[in-house]
Amino acid sequence: METTLRGVGVSHGVAIGEVRHMGTAVLEPPAKQIPAEEAEREQGRARQAVEAVAADLIARGNLAGGEAQHVLEAQAMMAQDPELMADVERRIAVGSTAERGVYDAFAAYRALLANAGEYLAGRVADLDDVRNRIVARLLGVPMPGVPDSDEPYVLIARDLAPADTALLDPALVLGFVTEEGGPTSHSAILARALGVPAVVALPGAGELAEGTVIAVDGSTGEIFVEPSAEKRAEMESAAAARKAALSASSGPGATSDGHQVPLLANVGGPGDVPAAVEAGAEGVGLFRTEFLFLDDSKQAPSEEKQVAAYRAVLEAFPEGRVVVRVLDAGADKPLDFLTPADEPNPALGVRGLRSLLDHPDVLRTQLTALSKAAQGLPVHLEVMAPMVADRADAKAFADACREAGLQAKFGAMVEIPSAALRARSILREVEFLSLGTNDLAQYTFAADRQVGAVSRLQDPWQPALLDLVALSAEAARAEGKSCGVCGEAASDPLLACVLTGLGVTSLSMGAASIPYVRATLAKYTLAQCERAASAARAADSAEEARVAAQVVLSGE
């Protein structure tokens, strides 16, 4: 009998297939004591296992490229954390086996993360995955991961670690469903990059029996268990119609009455550029530069290395717009040379622009490298600062850009509610705004983007978040300046129409989402988008806002 479940749809598309479950986690190793003379050998085993797992994560990242590569490199750094390794060796020295020493040391570190505020608590799944991989190697058992199957399937998991998500084969994994996670979790972001339909935050997903046929709608978040022939036909027909609409859509982003809405790509490095170009991106709306700094947490990359990486991206978009975000370190991206190690809540501490203003040499080198990378190119370079809180922050960043001789537009990201509330003041110092809706939602609702239990508050359809977007867009219009969105909200085709109606002037997203957004925008006039935006803001919940916008746009 067909039943319907609902989670959070985070990656467009329809998948119909049999359920396969993620491999079980590694069992807890026995707590047996070893003789003192074996301690050195066990410490060596532990070090070898850690290095092997770190190397495997980096290799997986190199294969995957793009956003996945940065996430996996951060996981490899987690595995090689010197303090964590020192704790492992201390435990072995007093009698633990290598595998038990690793298990207990990671448990202690896990407890620290879980109690360090919600932002870092959301990284526990990544830490557990690293632990499981190291312990599995020491025990000589298979690594946890995706199941072996010759036939396509829908993957079910409590949560998907980045190392697993990054190398999913879309030819075999039709889609995936997780119990945990949220719309801006690592799994969701990587699913969109892969173009795999995905639903997260579905309670009880693990109870779906192996081999059960389910239909997954990655747009609505609906899961149909044992769907009827009629339901399957209906979903397959809708998917085919959507695919045809995507194929017919091309050119610049615009509403049906010709209102231009440039569709830009979010990129995490040169590896993401080919997909962005293929999708018809009109430029880059968010060039994340952290990938250069994660290679070595002890020191910043040289100016020469930065110039080469930046130029590779800038050259791909001649005459296009490329918006670069300067280093956003801190919180879940700590760097030894830049960020404090003892903050009680790093998400609310010295991160983003705050870190750079405390280390002006790092900011100056990056701005100089960007200036040199753009020399002689016809690209329209724009540079923005993360985590701008007020006009003083915006002025400090603009002054730093001028002092570095940067010939580009300077902008500010709106990720903190204060920046949206005082957007007009900030725009007296900079030339554009870019809304990072992921962090803006996190700080508006005090809801960590990695924690499934609060995923409803991370929903970008929340009317309070739409109000902050509207405030920012209205301020930009009043100042005669631009206001784009580069957060994950822009990748939702229906929400893209609402954002356009709120006055947003450009939309930036993962390359895989661009065709969906382009095709949807082209169906509606600007006036329809504006009416949908008003209806969504008048609602009292995210779901009501989504339905209200849909009703307006469908003409019901």
Side-chain angles (χ1 to χ4, degrees), residues 164-223:
D164 297 316
T165 317
L167 295 183
L168 290 179
D169 181 355
L172 282 176
V173 181
L174 302 171
F176 65 76
V177 180
T178 66
E179 291 192 39
E180 299 294 334
T184 58
S185 66
H186 284 154
S187 292
I189 292 170
L190 295 177
R192 285 188 285 270
L194 287 166
V196 176
V199 172
V200 301
L202 179 70
E207 297 172 12
L208 290 168
E210 190 87 0
T212 301
V213 175
I214 64 172
V216 179
D217 189 326
S219 299
T220 66
E222 291 176 306
I223 306 292

Side-chain angles (χ1 to χ4, degrees), residues 295-316:
D295 288 343
D296 184 354
S297 67
K298 304 294 183 185
Q299 61 182 1
S302 67
E303 181 182 302
E304 293 73 20
K305 182 177 181 179
Q306 293 189 55
V307 169
Y310 302 149
R311 195 170 180 90
V313 174
L314 296 176
E315 286 177 335

Side-chain angles (χ1 to χ4, degrees), residues 66 70 264-277 281-292 305-325 366 369-370 372-375 377-382 508:
H70 315 144
L264 312 172
N266 294 344
V267 305
D272 290 343
V273 168
V277 172
E282 298 168 60
V284 173
L286 172 61
F287 179 8
R288 303 179 182 94
T289 58
E290 290 75 40
F291 73 102
L292 281 166
K305 182 177 181 179
Q306 293 189 55
V307 169
Y310 302 149
R311 195 170 180 90
V313 174
L314 296 176
E315 286 177 335
F317 295 95
E319 304 294 341
R321 177 186 178 200
V322 176
V323 184
V324 180
R325 181 180 70 190
Q366 185 170 26
L370 284 165
K372 290 182 177 179
Q375 285 177 3
L377 297 179
V379 69
H380 300 287
L381 176 64
E382 302 184 15
S508 189

Side-chain angles (χ1 to χ4, degrees), residues 246-440:
L246 293 180
S247 300
S249 175
S250 61
T255 58
S256 63
D257 56 341
H259 174 71
Q260 297 292 306
V261 188
L263 302 182
L264 312 172
N266 294 344
V267 305
D272 290 343
V273 168
V277 172
E278 184 179 351
E282 298 168 60
V284 173
L286 172 61
F287 179 8
R288 303 179 182 94
T289 58
E290 290 75 40
F291 73 102
L292 281 166
F293 294 80
L294 292 174
D295 288 343
D296 184 354
S297 67
K298 304 294 183 185
Q299 61 182 1
S302 67
E303 181 182 302
E304 293 73 20
K305 182 177 181 179
Q306 293 189 55
V307 169
Y310 302 149
R311 195 170 180 90
V313 174
L314 296 176
E315 286 177 335
F317 295 95
E319 304 294 341
R321 177 186 178 200
V322 176
V323 184
V324 180
R325 181 180 70 190
V326 294
L327 176 63
D328 184 14
D332 63 331
K333 298 184 286 282
L335 295 171
D336 293 347
F337 68 90
L338 197 67
T339 50
D342 56 352
E343 290 184 313
N345 191 340
L348 300 180
V350 182
R351 64 165 293 198
L353 179 61
R354 299 167 187 175
S355 295
L356 294 174
L357 294 179
D358 282 350
H359 297 80
D361 54 323
V362 175
L363 177 58
R364 187 182 309 111
T365 298
Q366 185 170 26
L367 294 174
T368 302
L370 284 165
S371 180
K372 290 182 177 179
Q375 285 177 3
L377 297 179
V379 69
H380 300 287
L381 176 64
E382 302 184 15
V383 182
M384 62 185 181
M387 299 300 292
V388 171
D390 56 17
R391 183 174 180 175
D393 278 352
K395 183 178 187 305
F397 178 65
D399 288 346
C401 290
R402 294 187 191 96
E403 289 169 11
L406 189 61
Q407 299 298 309
K409 286 187 175 181
F410 320 140
M413 291 197 71
V414 177
E415 301 167 286
I416 303 173
S418 64
L421 294 168
R422 301 291 294 171
R424 195 160 184 180
S425 172
I426 287 172
L427 282 165
R428 295 194 175 108
E429 302 294 343
V430 295
E431 298 172 82
F432 69 93
L433 299 177
S434 184
L435 287 139
T437 52
N438 306 353
D439 270 325
L440 185 58

Side-chain angles (χ1 to χ4, degrees), residues 41 83 154-155 174 218 241 285 312 373 380 492:
R41 179 179 66 85
E83 291 187 16
V154 177
L155 181 63
L174 302 171
H380 300 287
D492 179 335

Side-chain angles (χ1 to χ4, degrees), residues 241-250 253-254 263 493 497 513-524:
R242 188 180 300 163
K243 185 175 181 179
L246 293 180
S247 300
S249 175
S250 61
L263 302 182
C497 296
S513 298
I514 290 175
Y516 290 92
V517 173
R518 183 193 292 121
T520 305
L521 264 180
K523 292 164 58 177
Y524 306 109

